[in-house]
Amino acid sequence: MNKVISISLGLVIVGTATLTVLPVWLSKSVDYNADVKPILNKHCMSCHGGVKKAGNVSFLFEHELTKPGKSGKTPIVRGDAEASEMIRRILSNDPEEKMPKHAPPLSPQEVRILKHWINEGATWETHWAYKRIEKPDVPPLRTVSNLFGLLPNSAQRWAKNEIDPFILQKLKENGLSFSQEASKATLIRRVSLDLTGLPPTEKQVRDFDRDTSTRAYETLVDRLLQSPAYGERWAAMWMDLARYADTKGYESDGGRTMWPYRDYVIKSFNQDKPFDQFTIEQLAGDLLGKKKDGFPLEENLIATGFHRNTMTNNEGGTSDEEFRVAAQIDRVNTTWEVWQGTTFGCIQCHSHPYDPIPHEDYYKYMAFFNNSRDEDVWDEWPKLRFYKGDDSARVARIKEWIKQYDPAQLNEKTQFMRVLEPKINAHTFVQGDASTSLLISYYGIKDKGNAHVPQVNLTDAGSVVLRSTTKAKNAVLTLHLDQVNGPIVTTLAVPTRDTVLIAPILPAVGKHDVYLSLKSTTSPQEWVRIDWVSFQKNLPGSDQPGYPAILADYSTSLTRSPESMPVIWEGQGDFARKTQVFIRGNWMVKGAEVQPDVPKLLAPMPPHFPKNRLGLAKWLVSRDNPLTGRVIVNRFWEQLFGRGIVETVEDFGSQGAEPSHQALLDWLAVQFMEQDHWQVKKLLKRIVLSATYRQRSETNQEAIRKDPYNRWLSHGPRVRLSAEQVRDQALACSGLLSRKLYGPSVMPPQPDKIWQSPYNGESWIVSQGEDRYRRGIYTYWKRTAPYPSMTTFDAPSREFCQSRRIATNTPLQALVTLNDPVYLEAAQTLAATMQQRGKTPAQQLRAGYQLLTFQPIESRKLTVLLGIYRDALSTFKTTPSDVDSLLLYSKQKSPELAALTISANVLLNLDKVVTKE
C-alpha cells in the first residue's frame, strides 16, 4: 500500500518502486505577479500585447485572456490547461504552430507554472505597484528566541528605528549579517554630503567627535536639515527631473530666464514645504487661490516653470503646432516618470506592451495639459512679468483706477499686464496678399497686404490691443469685419517703433473673422510686424479726467519688456482646445475626441476634483494613488544609498526591477503620507538615523559573493559623489566656495571654445568676484553645451527628464580633476593652506589629506604622495618658468608651493575624496 507524506518542502510520494519529488511551488498557489507575469512578459507580450496582437490574441488585459483568437480557439480555458490553445501551441512540435515563434522555447519549469496557474483558474492580479498602499506591520525583533526581548540579541541592540527590522529580516533570509556603525569621521562626512551636498567643516567634525551624548548624531542631523545648503543639494536632484536649463534647446538653443524657478525649488526644500503642496504648485500653480486682484500668488505661478522647462524650437521652417504638441507629450511623459514611475510614453503610439494601459488613456491624460497657452513661439509666451521701479508704480496706478471705476475688470486687466493673456499670437493668422510669417512667430504685412484672424469672439469687446513694430513711415493698419473689404472695425496709425497700440472698435456680437489690411505708400517695401492681438473690454472711466494718462500708462506697461520668465497659463473658453487620439502616435492623424481622465488601472479621480491640472495634481498626491508615495520615497532612498529599493526608479511597472524590500517601501510611503504629512525632512531624518544607513561601508568576501551589489544592505553605502558635489567639495575644502544663495545663473571658469553659438554670438563670459565660486546648482546650463566638467561626471544635458544618473568611471574624470581650471585653482588654494599647517612636506601632506577626508593618512599613501611631491619639486627647481605657468592665482610663487599644488591636485583626485563612504 502506498503512503502519501506531506512535508514542508513540497510533496513526496513514496511507493514500492518509485520516488517522485514535485517542485516546491506545486505545494502552494501560483502567484500571478511573481510567477506568471514574468513568463508572459519574457516570451509572449512582444507579439501578444499592446504593440501588436498576433492572431488577435493578447495577454495584456484580463478580459482578453479568454477571448477566442483569429483561429476561433480560446488561448486560456480557466481550470483546464489541456484545453487551452496557449499550452497546446507551446507544446506543439509543428514549427508553424509552436510558440513562441522564432524564439527559444519555454523551459519545462515555465510550462509547469503556466499549466498549474491555468488549472487553478488563471487568476488575474494587478501588479503590486498599482495596488493601493496598505501599511505593513514592522517585523518583530522580540521573538521566542530572545524570550520576547528579555534577552536582547545583537540585532535588537543594533536596530535604531523601524527601518532596521525590515532590513534585518531580508539579511537573515539571504544568509547575511549587518555591519557595525561607521566611525564618527566617516559618518559626519557621509551624512553632510547626503543632506547638504557639502563636506563638513573642520570645526563641525571636532564638535561632533567631542560630543559624547546619546543624541550627538541626531543633533548633527537636525543641524544639517536646517542648513541653507540642504535646499541647494536636493534642488540639484530635482533639476534633473524638471529638465531645468537656462536655454531653450534644439539647434539654436538661445537663452531663457528660468532661474526664478530654480530658486523656488531651493526655497521649497529649505522651508520643508509638504511634498503634496510642492507637487500641486508645480503642476497647477496658476489655478490655485488668487490674491485680492484676482491674480495667483507669484510663487505659485513661478512654480509652474516646472513644465515650461520644455524646449522651444526656433529653427526657421518648423511647425509651431508640431513642437507645441512635442512639449505637451514631454509634459505627460515627465509627469508620469517623476510622480508615477511608469513608462507612460510607451502608450503614445499603442497600448502599453507590458502593463494594462490602453492607447487612448495617453490622450485622456494629455487633455489635462493641452489647454496651456504656450504655442512654441519665439518669445515663449506666456511669461510672468516682474515689474519694478517706475513700471511697478505705473501698474499700481492702473489697478487703483480700475478699482475705483469698475472693480469687476481688475482680474482681467491685472492678468493681462502680468502674463499678456488671453491674446491671439500672430503666427495663427491666415495669410493673405503681400503678407507672410516673420522670424517664425510673427506676422508681416506690406503695403496693400492683408491677412485675417479667424473666428474672434467680439462679444463685450470694446477695444483692440495689438503689438507691432515697423520702419515704415505713415503706415496705417485697418481692421475689417468678416471680409477684407467689410465694415471697418478700427484704424490704427503704426508708429516707427516697437509699441502696443490700443484703439476702440466697432461693437459686434458673436464670432467673426477679423481682416487686417495695410496702407503704407511712403514705405511700401517695409514690413509692418505684428506680434499678437487681443480684443478686450475698454478700460473703465473713459469719461473721467485723467483717463488719457491711464490709457497711456496701460499701453506703456504692455510695451515695456521687464524681466520675465515662461510660466504655464490655462486657456479657457474660446482658448480651450479639444484633444483627440493620435492614430499610431502621429500628431497629424487625429482620431476620436477624448475628455480629461486618468487610467482605469489606478484609483479613479474623485468626482469633486476639477477635470483640469489642479484636479490632476490633487489626484497624484491623494492617499488612494498607489504610486506617488512609493515612487517619491524610493527616489530619496536612491539618493542616499546609490540604489533604490526599486532599482529602476523610473519604472515601477511589470518590466521594472522587483523591489528588494517591498514591505519597507510601503511602510515608508504610508508613514511619509500619513504621519509625516509629506514633509521630506522627516523622511530623510528617519532614513539617516537608521542603523542601516549608519553602517560601515567596508565589507567581506562572503557578503560580496552572496550580494555583490549590496542589494540587501549588509553594509553602508559607498557611492561616487554627483557632478555638482565633486566640484562643490573641491571649492569648499580649499576655502573658495561662496555660500551666496539664489539669483541669476553664473559662469564659472571652463575650458575655452566649448560654446559655439553661430545664431546669436553668445559666449561664455567668466563671472567675477564670488560668483566665480558659487555652487554647481547655480552654473549656467546650456543644453547643447552643458558645463563640461559636469557632463564628464555624468550630469545630463537636460533636454528630457532624467530620473537617475548612471555613474561611470572613465579616464576623462581624472583628466577633469587634474586639469580643469576650477580644480587647478582649488588645488593651489588648498596647497597654500597646507603650507601653513606644517613645516615639513610630510606634515603638509598629512594636513591636506585630513582636510579632505577628516581622517589620518596611512603611511603607505603618505610615502606615495611624498614621492610625487619630491619629483614635482625637482622639476620646478630645474625649470622655474613652469612655476609661473602653474601658479596663475597666487601672488606668492615658489617651487615648493608649486610642488605642493601638484600634490594637492592629486589629493583632490583620490577615489576616497570623490567617493562618499
Side-chain angles (χ1 to χ4, degrees):
M1 181 178 178
N2 294 347
K3 295 180 179 179
V4 181
I5 304 173
S6 175
I7 64 174
S8 62
L9 296 178
L11 297 177
V12 178
I13 302 176
V14 181
T16 57
T18 61
L19 177 67
T20 305
V21 180
L22 299 182
V24 174
W25 56 266
L26 281 178
S27 65
K28 61 183 180 64
S29 295
V30 176
D31 186 304
Y32 174 79
N33 281 329
D35 302 322
V36 178
K37 183 68 171 172
I39 298 174
L40 297 179
N41 283 353
K42 179 181 177 181
H43 296 287
C44 308
M45 289 300 195
S46 59
C47 294
H48 302 288
V51 180
K52 56 181 178 179
K53 299 180 182 180
N56 201 28
V57 172
S58 172
F59 301 115
L60 185 61
F61 299 96
E62 183 179 11
H63 70 274
E64 295 176 329
L65 294 177
T66 56
K67 181 180 177 183
K70 188 177 181 181
S71 66
K73 297 176 181 178
T74 303
I76 292 176
V77 178
R78 283 183 160 134
D80 192 346
E82 300 303 322
S84 300
E85 182 68 5
M86 173 196 207
I87 299 299
R88 191 187 74 78
R89 292 290 191 103
I90 288 172
L91 297 178
S92 174
N93 293 319
D94 184 344
E96 293 299 318
E97 288 194 329
K98 188 171 180 61
M99 294 293 169
K101 273 193 174 183
H102 313 300
L106 276 67
S107 69
Q109 183 181 358
E110 289 173 329
V111 174
R112 286 195 295 269
I113 290 173
L114 291 178
K115 277 186 170 183
H116 193 45
W117 172 62
I118 294 172
N119 286 332
E120 283 188 333
T123 303
W124 176 273
E125 190 176 350
T126 301
H127 182 59
W128 70 269
Y130 303 133
K131 295 178 182 177
R132 188 180 192 274
I133 314 177
E134 302 298 343
K135 192 173 185 178
D137 293 330
V138 177
L141 292 179
R142 299 183 177 191
T143 61
V144 174
S145 63
N146 65 2
L147 297 180
F148 299 99
L150 293 176
L151 300 173
N153 57 27
S154 59
Q156 192 176 349
R157 288 190 295 268
W158 176 79
K160 295 289 192 292
N161 61 23
E162 297 92 338
I163 290 173
D164 300 319
F166 290 100
I167 302 300
L168 286 166
Q169 184 181 61
K170 289 292 184 179
L171 288 174
K172 184 177 180 181
E173 290 174 7
N174 289 277
L176 294 164
S177 59
F178 54 83
S179 298
Q180 294 304 315
E181 188 169 306
S183 68
K184 276 196 162 185
T186 298
L187 202 53
I188 188 174
R189 181 172 183 267
R190 177 191 298 173
V191 75
S192 295
L193 286 166
D194 273 339
L195 294 184
T196 69
L198 296 175
T201 64
E202 291 180 282
K203 182 180 183 303
Q204 289 167 349
V205 173
R206 284 196 303 271
D207 291 345
F208 180 54
D209 190 55
R210 292 168 182 167
D211 189 345
T212 57
S213 67
T214 56
R215 294 193 73 255
Y217 179 65
E218 185 175 358
T219 301
L220 167 67
V221 169
D222 288 338
R223 180 183 58 76
L224 293 171
L225 291 171
Q226 294 305 314
S227 167
Y230 163 85
E232 295 171 318
R233 181 267 184 267
W234 292 101
M237 175 202 76
W238 196 257
M239 294 299 98
D240 283 1
L241 300 174
R243 62 268 194 249
Y244 171 86
D246 294 291
T247 58
K248 300 178 183 181
Y250 294 116
E251 44 87 49
S252 60
D253 202 21
R256 166 194 280 172
T257 299
M258 284 302 296
W259 61 264
Y261 169 74
R262 180 244 293 138
D263 287 359
Y264 157 83
V265 175
I266 296 172
K267 292 172 184 176
S268 295
F269 275 111
N270 275 334
Q271 295 164 4
D272 201 18
K273 181 176 290 182
F275 190 83
D276 55 346
Q277 181 185 344
F278 183 59
T279 296
I280 292 169
E281 288 175 358
Q282 290 180 89
L283 295 181
D286 57 312
L287 300 174
L288 287 173
K290 308 291 194 293
K291 296 184 295 185
K292 290 182 179 179
D293 59 7
F295 195 71
L297 294 173
E298 190 171 280
E299 178 188 29
N300 292 344
L301 208 48
I302 290 172
T304 67
F306 177 87
H307 271 325
R308 285 308 307 275
N309 281 316
T310 46
M311 298 188 291
T312 302
N313 194 342
N314 293 150
E315 183 181 2
T318 59
S319 165
D320 286 324
E321 177 62 10
E322 178 182 2
F323 287 94
R324 184 197 72 82
V325 168
Q328 303 306 325
I329 289 171
D330 178 71
R331 288 166 190 167
V332 171
N333 296 348
T334 296
T335 303
W336 270 87
E337 181 168 342
V338 172
W339 280 276
Q340 305 290 266
T342 300
T343 52
F344 202 66
C346 290
I347 65 171
Q348 178 188 339
C349 303
H350 46 69
S351 294
H352 200 287
Y354 302 104
D355 293 306
I357 313 175
H359 175 48
E360 59 269 20
D361 278 5
Y362 189 92
Y363 297 95
K364 291 177 182 178
Y365 201 87
M366 193 170 83
F368 287 111
F369 296 94
N370 201 30
N371 288 329
S372 61
R373 289 291 299 128
D374 57 298
E375 297 177 350
D376 195 68
V377 291
W378 182 279
D379 282 321
E380 301 196 290
W381 300 303
K383 292 180 177 179
L384 176 61
R385 295 152 64 88
F386 303 100
Y387 292 104
K388 297 177 182 177
D390 291 342
D391 292 332
S392 180
R394 187 178 291 111
V395 169
R397 286 198 300 271
I398 297 166
K399 289 165 69 173
E400 284 301 318
W401 180 277
I402 295 170
K403 285 183 196 175
Q404 183 176 356
Y405 296 107
D406 186 5
Q409 279 200 52
L410 185 61
N411 181 8
E412 173 189 329
K413 291 299 190 288
T414 300
Q415 173 181 309
F416 200 78
M417 286 187 289
R418 292 303 306 273
V419 292
L420 296 183
E421 288 295 340
K423 65 179 181 301
I424 301 166
N425 292 323
H427 73 137
T428 63
F429 290 5
V430 178
Q431 184 173 343
D433 301 327
S435 64
T436 189
S437 294
L438 296 178
L439 293 177
I440 307 165
S441 302
Y442 309 126
Y443 206 79
I445 306 178
K446 289 185 178 181
D447 182 45
K448 299 184 178 62
N450 62 78
H452 79 271
V453 189
Q455 293 300 287
V456 180
N457 190 343
L458 296 177
T459 303
D460 296 330
S463 60
V464 61
V465 183
L466 177 148
R467 186 173 192 124
S468 69
T469 185
T470 187
K471 294 180 181 177
K473 296 180 180 179
N474 304 319
V476 176
L477 188 67
T478 305
L479 275 59
H480 303 264
L481 201 63
D482 295 325
Q483 52 188 339
V484 72
N485 57 356
I488 295 176
V489 175
T490 193
T491 301
L492 303 99
V494 184
T496 55
R497 66 179 186 276
D498 188 0
T499 188
V500 171
L501 304 173
I502 303 175
I505 62 172
L506 183 73
V509 177
K511 293 183 178 181
H512 299 266
D513 290 346
V514 176
Y515 283 76
L516 298 81
S517 63
L518 183 73
K519 184 176 182 181
S520 182
T521 54
T522 306
S523 309
Q525 296 306 310
E526 290 286 353
W527 292 103
V528 170
R529 192 187 86 184
I530 301 172
D531 297 1
W532 49 261
V533 62
S534 176
F535 294 88
Q536 305 177 2
K537 292 180 180 179
N538 285 320
L539 274 172
S542 58
D543 57 346
Q544 298 297 318
Y547 179 78
I550 287 296
L551 190 62
D553 277 345
Y554 188 51
S555 173
T556 301
S557 69
L558 300 178
T559 301
R560 301 281 290 171
S561 297
E563 188 171 22
S564 57
M565 66 162 283
V567 293
I568 293 287
W569 191 264
E570 187 82 344
Q572 299 177 348
D574 293 329
F575 290 91
R577 301 183 182 93
K578 70 177 183 179
T579 303
Q580 294 169 271
V581 173
F582 296 167
I583 305 300
R584 295 187 178 181
N586 186 342
W587 71 279
M588 300 181 74
V589 183
K590 305 288 178 38
E593 183 177 353
V594 292
Q595 299 302 316
D597 205 355
V598 298
K600 291 182 173 58
L601 175 65
L602 304 177
M605 181 180 286
H608 63 280
F609 281 13
K611 285 295 184 74
N612 56 19
R613 281 180 288 108
L614 180 57
L616 174 66
K618 289 182 175 181
W619 172 80
L620 280 174
V621 292
S622 68
R623 178 62 182 84
D624 291 329
N625 190 304
L627 285 168
T628 302
R630 288 180 171 123
V631 169
I632 297 306
V633 163
N634 192 59
R635 285 197 186 284
F636 286 106
W637 185 277
E638 187 261 352
Q639 289 287 307
L640 297 176
F641 287 92
R643 179 192 183 109
I645 294 174
V646 176
E647 183 179 6
T648 51
V649 294
E650 70 284 351
D651 185 6
F652 272 55
S654 60
Q655 283 294 87
E658 285 296 311
S660 58
H661 303 77
Q662 184 184 330
L664 171 60
L665 179 64
D666 286 356
W667 186 89
L668 284 170
V670 175
Q671 191 79 5
F672 181 49
M673 293 185 290
E674 294 184 350
Q675 273 68 49
D676 298 345
H677 303 293
W678 297 91
Q679 289 181 292
V680 174
K681 287 186 178 181
K682 289 183 178 180
L683 169 67
L684 293 174
K685 180 177 179 179
R686 181 175 297 108
I687 296 174
V688 300
L689 286 183
S690 69
T692 303
Y693 175 83
R694 300 192 216 182
Q695 293 178 102
R696 294 173 181 166
S697 59
E698 295 86 356
T699 186
N700 55 59
Q701 288 302 314
E702 182 185 6
I704 292 173
R705 179 178 60 80
K706 291 182 177 179
D707 186 19
Y709 300 107
N710 198 27
R711 176 178 170 84
W712 309 115
L713 298 171
S714 62
H715 56 89
R718 192 179 190 279
V719 186
R720 200 204 58 210
L721 302 181
S722 70
E724 293 88 345
Q725 289 172 344
V726 171
R727 179 181 176 275
D728 291 349
Q729 176 184 244
L731 293 175
C733 290
S734 63
L736 290 172
L737 184 69
S738 165
R739 299 300 179 107
K740 179 181 176 182
L741 294 166
Y742 314 128
S745 297
V746 298
M747 295 183 177
Q750 70 173 9
D752 292 336
K753 300 180 181 178
I754 297 295
W755 272 30
Q756 295 190 17
S757 303
Y759 294 93
N760 50 27
E762 289 178 340
S763 60
W764 187 271
I765 301 173
V766 176
S767 299
Q768 301 301 310
E770 69 173 315
D771 283 349
R772 177 187 181 100
Y773 308 108
R774 296 193 68 189
R775 292 192 67 173
I777 191 171
Y778 299 109
T779 299
Y780 191 94
W781 206 279
K782 186 180 178 72
R783 284 184 163 111
T784 53
Y787 194 61
S789 70
M790 290 193 191
T791 56
T792 304
F793 279 96
D794 306 314
S797 63
R798 293 189 180 151
E799 293 171 292
F800 303 100
C801 169
Q802 182 157 328
S803 282
R804 54 178 171 148
R805 299 181 184 180
I806 306 300
T808 64
N809 187 2
T810 72
L812 284 176
Q813 292 166 358
L815 288 173
V816 165
T817 53
L818 291 173
N819 295 284
D820 186 272
V822 170
Y823 295 92
L824 287 175
E825 185 174 3
Q828 182 177 308
T829 310
L830 179 60
T833 303
M834 291 161 59
Q835 204 171 43
Q836 297 172 0
R837 297 288 181 93
K839 295 181 179 180
T840 67
Q843 292 173 339
Q844 293 164 353
L845 292 169
R846 285 194 187 95
Y849 190 86
Q850 182 79 28
L851 279 168
L852 292 170
T853 67
F854 309 103
Q855 295 177 355
I857 191 170
E858 301 166 16
S859 59
R860 178 176 55 86
K861 293 180 179 178
L862 180 59
T863 301
V864 174
L865 282 171
L866 281 169
I868 292 171
Y869 173 84
R870 289 170 184 143
D871 288 346
L873 182 61
S874 175
T875 299
F876 287 122
K877 284 184 175 179
T878 304
T879 55
S881 59
D882 289 349
V883 174
D884 292 332
S885 299
L886 179 67
L887 301 180
L888 297 174
Y889 310 101
S890 177
K891 295 180 181 178
Q892 296 181 352
K893 299 182 181 182
S894 67
E896 289 76 15
L897 181 58
L900 207 54
T901 296
I902 295 295
S903 304
N905 203 6
V906 171
L907 285 171
L908 288 169
N909 192 47
L910 290 178
D911 180 67
K912 194 175 184 70
V913 172
V914 299
T915 301
K916 176 195 70 178
E917 294 189 320

